[in-house]
Amino acid sequence: MFYYLNGVVAHMAPFLAVIDCGGVGYACRTTNNTLSHLQKGKPAKLYTHLNVREDAMELFGFSTENELNCFQLLTSVSGVGPKAALSILSAATPESLAMSIITGDEKALTVAQGIGKKIAQRIILELKDKLAKGQIAPGGESYGGTGVTVIPENKSSEAAAALAVLGYSQSEIAAALKGIDVDGLALEEIIKQALKRMVKN
């Protein structure tokens, strides 16, 4: 229904930002990461997700499309609701979250308030499985019919797999990684640089 809101920050509270668009204040549930980019009285653009339930409608807003993508991915995991997803994305950037999923780092997820070991394990298992079922092979090969993606253990392939978790296609990932100093940079920095390139495009 809403792709984004472009207006002025009217009010901020924990996990909440109100964006005034033409005299109408839209209450957006959000993360600490997004709130850190906002200032009351200043212009803001939030990418949104409308969550419709039988008893309520809630609007969620994020400062980047990557954070929105991660929110939608997390809430697709069984047992992970919007509140848990906001908690995770308040403790992790989209880049570090994708890296945690690819490397199986459940401890990085349990740093978020209210996220225990079992939920962290389920997130990693289900999202890795989605990556596999999509037959996304970071090395540029597709393993049809197996339902399993083979991910070589090097920074280039791990970065590609993390970007795939964020919803980018193989061609977009290959173009974004081209020319980045994969050997000389940390994995998270490789992901950040690739994301900057894709946002510019």
Side-chain angles (χ1 to χ4, degrees), residues 3-201:
Y3 186 74
Y4 64 77
L5 296 176
N6 202 345
V8 175
V9 180
H11 176 71
M12 294 168 63
F15 296 103
L16 177 70
V18 177
I19 308 299
D20 185 323
C21 300
V24 179
Y26 292 89
C28 296
R29 300 290 172 187
T30 191
T31 66
N32 290 339
N33 284 330
T34 286
L35 288 171
S36 70
H37 291 94
L38 303 179
Q39 282 185 277
K40 190 175 179 180
K42 298 288 185 180
K45 181 178 182 179
L46 295 185
Y47 295 92
T48 57
H49 172 84
L50 182 64
N51 187 46
V52 180
R53 303 197 315 266
E54 286 185 8
D55 58 342
M57 284 198 304
E58 283 186 307
L59 192 62
F60 296 83
F62 306 93
S63 59
T64 67
E65 288 181 275
N66 288 323
E67 194 172 33
L68 170 62
N69 289 341
C70 282
F71 174 81
Q72 292 172 333
L73 272 172
L74 286 167
T75 53
S76 74
V77 175
S78 56
V80 178
K83 185 177 179 181
L86 290 183
S87 179
I88 291 168
L89 288 169
S90 289
T93 63
E95 302 86 36
S96 61
L97 173 63
M99 193 164 63
S100 299
I101 291 166
I102 293 304
T103 58
D105 185 2
E106 62 188 53
K107 287 184 179 179
L109 295 177
T110 57
V111 169
Q113 187 175 359
I115 304 301
K117 186 175 180 180
K118 286 185 178 179
I119 294 179
Q121 288 174 337
R122 189 183 306 143
I123 289 168
I124 290 168
L125 179 65
E126 289 196 23
L127 294 185
K128 265 192 175 183
D129 189 49
K130 285 188 179 185
L131 183 67
K133 284 181 179 176
Q135 297 184 344
I136 302 165
E141 298 177 58
S142 178
Y143 300 85
T146 63
V148 176
T149 298
V150 179
I151 302 175
E153 292 186 359
N154 61 60
K155 285 191 288 183
S156 179
S157 61
E158 287 187 342
L163 293 166
V165 167
L166 295 175
Y168 292 102
S169 68
Q170 283 180 277
S171 58
E172 288 173 321
I173 292 167
L177 289 176
K178 191 175 181 180
I180 293 179
D181 181 13
V182 174
D183 294 327
L185 295 173
L187 180 57
E188 190 167 356
E189 185 58 34
I190 295 168
I191 297 167
K192 283 182 180 178
Q193 288 197 18
L195 284 171
K196 284 180 183 177
R197 290 183 175 190
M198 287 189 275
V199 169
K200 286 178 183 177
N201 293 336

